[in-house]
């Protein structure tokens, strides 16, 4: 039986989207062959920009009108509680048999972040659009939708500490710092606070942003030496606009960072001394670990001994929130009694119950594609 993600990708390809193996992001050359790691090998040609361009082209070929600068202010409902259309800010009302809500979470709303995620989350930066402020969720709840999922959880990564408050459309994902499994991460006091090698980046990056936010001033520093820096993705660590500090000594690096020189040097020395020799392999959990220090490093541990030393200041960047609306297998939005709200469907990041406490890389786009297709089919079949 064809899997739902594969079936959906085949359908997207029939509409004109093109996919490619991600050699640049999810593969390393080992023993003369490229090996993919982390369970994520395929992406859209052109990344996020390419995906949007290809979707818009597909919509145009299908005769679908896409309106920008047309904010929706509410869902139009009938006397029976069914959703009958949408209200726009300019007073227009669009009547329809079905409405598919795909307006994202509330990650760009500082008040909602603090209210649901907790103290300090209003200070986090936002990786993406400033428009995902939870309005779509609120409209659906007002229409009788059931709130569902992990409302106090979100996808949050290591993000350039000097990035602006919301995402940059030109730099896109280049402000992410996902190479930490090959170095060490310290806080402003020069102390390590996470197991950088607990798992592949795909399975830790979305929760380690929250750990950074807990640190003094909500910042941390990813440290590498000349050897480990060779494994860093140029798009994330060598592009324009990246905050980077370099020195020929660890003490010099600490001075540049405004950190206690002795403490950072001690942290690096203790880490180096704790590394257990092994066969390093970036494409598998290689067991190259530390012993005798807390927190440990479980994989990809190598001493930092080759200058120059480089540091990348990072903070917490939120991607999307986990709480949202409850849907059924046909992407119909359910009410508080578990019954479908007539005429209302949902897909994407405002769907609750997909992720709890953590997130595997690539699964959000997959879920959005699969559920988006189901929502569209269900809405098209709505003949009330």
């Amino acid at each position: 039986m064809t899997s739902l993600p594969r079936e959906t990708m085949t359908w997207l390809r029939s509409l004109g989207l093109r996919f490619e193996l991600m050699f640049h992001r999810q593969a390393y050359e080992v023993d003369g062959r490229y090996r993919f790691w982390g369970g994520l090998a395929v992406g859209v040609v052109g990344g996020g920009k390419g995906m949007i361009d290809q979707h818009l082209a597909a919509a145009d070929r299908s005769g679908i009108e896409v309106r920008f600068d047309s904010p929706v202010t509410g869902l139009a409902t009938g006397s029976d509680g069914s959703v009958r259309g949408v209200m726009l800010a300019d007073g227009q009302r669009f009547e329809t048999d079905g409405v598919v809500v795909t307006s994202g979470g509330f990650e760009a709303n500082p008040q909602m972040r603090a209210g649901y995620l907790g103290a300090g989350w209003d200070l986090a930066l936002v990786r993406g659009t400033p428009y995902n402020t939870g309005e779509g969720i609120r409209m659906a709840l007002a229409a009788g939708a059931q709130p569902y999922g992990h409302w106090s959880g979100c996808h949050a990564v290591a993000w350039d500490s000097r990035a602006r408050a919301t995402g940059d459309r030109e730099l896109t994902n280049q402000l992410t710092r996902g190479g930490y499994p090959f170095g060490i991460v310290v806080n402003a006091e020069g102390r390590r606070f996470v197991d950088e090698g607990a798992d592949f980046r795909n399975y830790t990056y979305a929760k380690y942003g929250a750990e950074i936010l807990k640190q003094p001033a909500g910042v941390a520093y990813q440290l590498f030496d000349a050897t480990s820096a060779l494994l860093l993705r140029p798009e994330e660590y060598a592009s324009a606009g990246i905050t980077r500090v370099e020195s020929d000594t660890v003490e010099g690096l600490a001075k540049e960072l405004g950190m206690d020189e002795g403490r950072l040097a001690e942290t690096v020395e203790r880490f180096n001394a704790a590394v257990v020799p092994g066969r390093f392999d970036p494409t598998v959990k290689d067991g190259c670990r530390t012993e005798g220090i807390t927190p440990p490093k479980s994989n990809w541990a190598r001493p930092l001994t080759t200058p120059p030393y480089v540091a990348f200041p990072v903070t917490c960047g939120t991607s999307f929130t986990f709480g949202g609306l409850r849907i059924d297998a046909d992407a119909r939005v359910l009410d508080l009694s578990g019954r479908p709200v007539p005429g209302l469907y949902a897909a994407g990041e405002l769907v609750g119950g997909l992720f709890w406490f953590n997130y595997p890389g690539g699964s959000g786009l997959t879920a959005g594609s699969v559920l988006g297709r189901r929502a569209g089919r269900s809405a098209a079949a709505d003949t009330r």
Side-chain angles (χ1 to χ4, degrees):
M1 179 181 291
T2 304
S3 70
L4 290 175
R6 177 60 182 270
E7 180 185 340
T8 300
M9 287 181 65
T10 301
W11 170 71
L12 288 172
R13 193 180 190 286
S14 73
L15 296 177
L17 270 77
R18 292 297 177 261
F19 301 90
E20 63 182 352
L21 291 170
M22 293 196 292
F23 287 98
H24 64 291
R25 180 176 179 178
Q26 296 290 148
Y28 289 106
E29 186 176 352
V30 178
D31 297 332
R33 300 183 66 181
Y34 280 96
R35 296 181 182 175
F36 290 90
W37 53 271
L40 180 62
V42 177
V44 178
V45 172
K49 294 179 182 178
M51 180 179 67
I52 295 300
D53 288 343
Q54 292 175 58
H55 272 295
L56 288 174
D60 184 64
R61 287 191 296 270
S62 300
I64 296 172
E65 178 185 2
V66 179
R67 288 197 175 193
F68 298 98
D69 299 319
S70 297
V72 175
T73 58
L75 298 177
T77 57
S79 58
D80 59 353
S82 63
V83 174
R84 298 290 184 175
V86 297
M87 302 296 298
L88 301 187
D90 61 6
Q92 293 187 72
R93 173 174 172 144
F94 276 91
E95 298 285 346
T96 180
D97 289 330
V99 173
V100 181
V101 188
T102 60
S103 55
F106 55 85
E107 67 274 8
N109 186 325
Q111 183 183 35
M112 289 185 71
R113 288 202 310 267
Y116 288 108
L117 304 181
W121 278 97
D122 50 327
L123 304 177
L125 302 183
V126 178
R127 297 177 69 199
T129 173
Y131 305 117
N132 284 5
T133 55
E135 294 305 308
I137 296 176
R138 287 174 168 173
M139 293 175 201
L141 295 178
Q146 178 184 160
Y148 189 60
H150 186 196
W151 279 76
S152 60
C154 72
H155 180 302
V157 308
W159 192 245
D160 193 297
S161 66
R162 296 185 185 176
R164 64 189 193 185
T166 56
D168 188 307
R169 290 185 179 179
E170 294 304 317
L171 294 177
T172 62
N173 198 39
Q174 294 174 27
L175 297 174
T176 301
R177 303 288 175 264
Y180 57 87
F182 305 126
I184 64 172
V185 183
V186 301
N187 61 19
E189 298 174 345
R191 305 179 191 278
R192 292 177 59 247
F193 57 93
V194 294
D195 180 347
E196 302 91 346
D199 208 327
F200 290 112
R201 182 227 17 124
N202 291 21
Y203 306 119
T204 60
Y205 82 120
K207 66 179 181 179
Y208 276 4
E211 296 304 316
I212 294 171
L213 194 63
K214 296 176 185 177
Q215 302 308 306
V219 297
Y221 305 89
Q222 298 180 359
L223 273 56
F224 308 92
D225 70 352
T227 299
S228 55
L230 295 174
L231 292 167
L232 302 179
R233 288 184 64 219
E235 294 88 346
E236 293 184 6
Y237 288 90
S239 298
I242 287 172
T243 307
R244 183 180 189 274
V245 177
E246 180 178 322
S247 177
D248 286 333
T249 66
V250 174
E251 290 83 358
L253 196 65
K255 185 176 181 180
E256 291 291 329
L257 296 172
M259 192 182 299
D260 185 284
E261 298 174 31
R263 181 166 295 163
L264 182 61
E266 179 187 5
T267 294
V268 174
E269 289 171 4
R270 290 188 64 221
F271 173 80
N272 289 346
V275 172
V276 177
R279 186 178 185 278
F280 178 83
D281 186 339
T283 67
V284 299
K285 289 194 281 187
D286 61 5
C288 289
R289 67 189 190 282
T290 61
E291 289 184 352
I293 59 172
T294 302
K297 185 171 182 180
S298 301
N299 295 283
W300 309 297
R302 292 189 295 179
L304 304 179
T305 56
T306 307
Y309 301 93
V310 292
F312 297 87
V314 293
T315 187
C316 174
T318 60
S319 306
F320 67 91
T321 44
F322 291 165
L325 311 178
R326 188 163 196 171
I327 64 172
D328 64 11
D330 294 313
R332 298 179 298 179
V333 175
L334 304 181
D335 65 15
L336 295 175
S337 299
R339 296 171 297 189
V341 177
L344 187 58
Y345 311 88
E349 295 168 356
L350 86 170
V351 172
L354 299 180
F355 308 107
W356 305 80
F357 300 100
N358 199 9
Y359 165 93
S363 57
L365 287 173
T366 304
S369 298
V370 171
L371 293 176
R373 187 186 186 200
R374 288 194 170 194
R377 283 180 165 177
S378 294
D382 195 334
T383 57
R384 286 175 293 110

